[in-house]
Amino acid sequence: MRKFEQLTQGHIEIIKEWLREDDEGEKRLGSFNDPQKWLDLIDFEKRFGWIFFEDNVPIGFVDMEVVDRRIGHIASYISPNMRKRGYCKIIHELLFQEVGDMNLEMLVGSVEEDNVISRKCMDSLHFVEDGKDKDGLVVYKLKIEKASKTKQKF
């Protein structure tokens, strides 16, 4: 069974363990390198955090910050031992269901230019590349009506 759980203090050790020996994750994550600081930002009104599980095994996490009540800025992470198994797409499709009742108009994600796997994932989910942000990250946008049409059989 696949599910999201809202991020809690109990998940912090799981995330720390993932990050402990993950050079790739450390390179990509920036502010998520200290999961406790991230948890402190979560209020489940403007900032959300979820841990993704499959059959009670933690796979990764998603962060979303809502701006102007209509745009969800997302970031995601797959644990090192679960990469290259299609979980990026699965997690985002589950995210589309999770945010379906939030009345968001758009999801936005930013990806490092050299992160080919994440960029392919965004493309497969019908996100549209929209230039670069101030940090040089490639910006991807998805209108919610497209997100709600993307379905995954669970």
Side-chain angles (χ1 to χ4, degrees), residues 64-114:
M64 183 175 74
E65 183 174 9
V66 177
V67 178
D68 296 329
R69 293 193 201 176
R70 57 186 188 83
I71 300 172
H73 289 265
I74 59 173
S76 61
Y77 173 87
I78 308 296
S79 66
N81 61 331
M82 295 297 182
R83 293 184 185 142
K84 298 182 181 177
R85 298 183 187 189
Y87 283 115
C88 178
K89 188 170 183 180
I90 292 167
I91 283 176
H92 286 87
E93 288 174 339
L94 193 59
L95 174 69
F96 299 158
Q97 294 174 19
E98 191 74 24
V99 302
D101 295 331
M102 292 183 174
N103 297 319
L104 297 175
E105 296 175 13
M106 182 176 295
L107 294 176
V108 177
S110 299
V111 180
E112 293 88 350
E113 192 164 11
D114 67 339

Side-chain angles (χ1 to χ4, degrees), residues 127-154:
F127 278 78
V128 176
E129 191 174 323
D130 189 40
K132 292 185 179 180
D133 66 13
K134 63 180 174 51
D135 298 318
L137 300 175
V138 180
V139 176
Y140 286 87
K141 294 182 177 180
L142 178 70
K143 291 185 179 181
I144 293 296
E145 62 265 12
K146 279 191 180 179
S148 64
K149 292 178 184 174
T150 305
K151 299 291 182 194
Q152 172 73 23
K153 293 182 181 178
F154 294 104

Side-chain angles (χ1 to χ4, degrees), residues 19-20 22-30 33 77 83:
L19 298 174
R20 194 163 282 124
D22 184 7
D23 294 337
E24 182 70 14
E26 186 174 331
K27 173 183 171 184
R28 309 278 183 205
L29 286 177
N33 286 334
Y77 173 87
R83 293 184 185 142

